[in-house]
Amino acid sequence: MTQAGGDTRGSNSAGMARRLAAVLAADVAGYSSLMEADESGTLRRLQRLRDDLLLPLLAGHRGRLFKQIGDGFLAEFASAGEALRCAVDIQRRLDVAADAA
């Protein structure tokens, strides 16, 4: 993408636009032990956490889930600040949920 005056900031040599993104990577601590103890219950809890906690928090922080593998996920944000705030909110909500259980 060439700007007025031939400036090519934000593009690479192939002319494709570039953008910066922050990536949040996380997984469940002790997942293997949880699966060993109660596979179906662990999978149900993981799905519920994804639907009820993770996805709404990502949306609220303008994030996008782009990869989920087993107990882990990758989410993209336009800023590192939003990624950090989302990570902190996820951890706080998980702590509250653990205290309530």
Side-chain angles (χ1 to χ4, degrees):
M1 177 182 288
T2 302
Q3 299 174 358
D7 187 356
T8 58
R9 284 179 287 166
S11 66
N12 62 21
S13 60
M16 297 179 65
R18 294 182 297 166
R19 64 186 171 99
L20 295 177
V23 175
L24 169 62
D27 69 354
V28 176
Y31 181 71
S32 295
S33 297
L34 293 169
M35 287 292 283
E36 213 172 274
D38 180 10
E39 183 176 345
S40 62
T42 298
L43 292 173
R44 275 193 311 273
R45 284 190 302 277
L46 187 60
Q47 183 67 41
R48 191 171 57 245
L49 284 172
R50 178 186 174 275
D51 294 344
D52 298 344
L53 186 140
L54 178 63
L55 293 178
L57 285 175
L58 288 175
H61 289 280
R62 296 183 294 279
R64 178 180 72 89
L65 182 67
F66 70 89
K67 185 83 166 180
Q68 187 174 0
I69 303 172
D71 67 322
F73 72 90
L74 297 173
E76 175 190 36
F77 296 85
S79 77
E82 283 295 339
L84 177 61
R85 284 187 286 279
C86 186
V88 169
D89 282 349
I90 290 169
Q91 192 61 56
R92 284 182 179 151
R93 293 274 302 273
L94 289 172
D95 289 344
V96 168
D99 290 344

